[in-house]
């Protein structure tokens, strides 16, 4: 069963003196996170009163956080979103929904299980563990299909992967 709440980022700092928090998003783009109007921190909802994107981060004014001292208490906290508040595009999925998925080759052979996803500077890399460990770049050339509901990823391996 899919979890209701999705890890979406981390509050890495404060911004200014009026209580804004700087959130480093773990979503594909900060715009995706900006569209969400309620963030969950420590299991409690926090309404987003205003937000803007600044240098790849989301600066957000949260309800009840009115100065830098209040904002400082949130530094280092993880931010979650409710799955219902975050509609995905057709064929889209959340990373946490594919962890543990079976990974098969384009011919149907078993490669292993998706153990983790590394967010590398050049892009995401899927760590697949089976008889051996494979590091597969999460790009269309190698990840041919991902069905989060069925829990199956189809991948193309090349020599040395």
């Amino acid at each position: 069963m899919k979890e209701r709440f999705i890890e979406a980022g981390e509050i890495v700092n404060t911004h200014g003196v009026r209580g804004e928090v700087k959130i480093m998003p773990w979503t594909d783009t900060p715009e995706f996170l900006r569209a969400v109007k309620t963030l969950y921190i420590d299991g409690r909802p926090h309404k987003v009163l205003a937000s803007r994107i600044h240098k790849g981060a989301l600066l957000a004014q949260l309800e009840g956080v009115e100065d830098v001292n209040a904002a400082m208490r949130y530094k280092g906290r993880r931010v979650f979103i409710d799955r219902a508040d975050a509609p995905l595009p057709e064929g889209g999925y959340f990373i946490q929904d594919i962890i543990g998925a079976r990974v098969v080759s384009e011919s149907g052979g078993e490669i292993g299980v998706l153990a983790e996803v590394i967010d590398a500077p050049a892009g995401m890399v899927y760590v697949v563990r089976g008889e051996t460990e494979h590091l597969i770049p999460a790009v269309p050339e190698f990840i041919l299909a991902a069905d989060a509901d069925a829990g199956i990823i189809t991948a193309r391996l090349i020599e040395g992967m």
Side-chain angles (χ1 to χ4, degrees):
M1 186 172 103
K2 294 180 181 176
E3 297 287 329
R4 176 179 171 193
F5 295 102
I6 309 291
E7 276 189 84
E10 181 179 355
I11 298 174
V12 295
N13 214 338
T14 62
H15 185 82
V17 296
R18 295 187 183 159
E20 282 185 308
V21 293
K22 180 178 181 180
I23 303 169
M24 195 51 63
W26 295 343
T27 55
D28 287 344
T29 65
E31 287 84 3
F32 183 88
L33 189 56
R34 185 171 188 236
V36 177
K37 299 303 176 204
T38 303
L39 300 175
Y40 294 81
I41 304 165
D42 296 332
R44 293 190 327 269
H46 290 75
K47 185 177 178 186
V48 179
L49 301 176
S51 64
R52 65 187 192 282
I53 296 165
H54 180 68
K55 297 182 180 178
L58 182 70
L59 302 180
Q61 181 70 55
L62 304 176
E63 186 174 52
V65 181
E66 296 168 11
D67 61 35
V68 69
N69 293 327
M72 199 60 157
R73 289 193 286 269
Y74 290 92
K75 188 174 176 181
R77 305 273 175 90
R78 292 191 177 189
V79 174
F80 293 79
I81 58 175
D82 189 324
R83 180 183 298 275
D85 294 340
L88 290 170
E90 184 67 35
Y93 52 86
F94 292 108
I95 296 295
Q96 76 181 41
D97 293 341
I98 60 169
I99 298 293
R102 286 180 48 231
V103 181
V104 297
S105 68
E106 51 194 324
S107 62
E110 200 74 28
I111 297 172
V113 173
L114 180 61
E116 67 178 295
V117 176
I118 299 169
D119 191 6
M124 302 269 212
V125 177
Y126 290 179
V127 178
V128 179
R129 294 196 178 107
E131 288 183 21
T132 60
E133 184 174 272
H134 298 277
L135 302 177
I136 305 173
V139 295
E141 294 89 331
F142 300 115
I143 303 300
L144 306 178
D147 185 336
D149 292 329
I152 297 176
I153 297 170
T154 304
R156 174 181 295 138
L157 296 181
I158 60 171
E159 193 69 34
M161 233 182 223

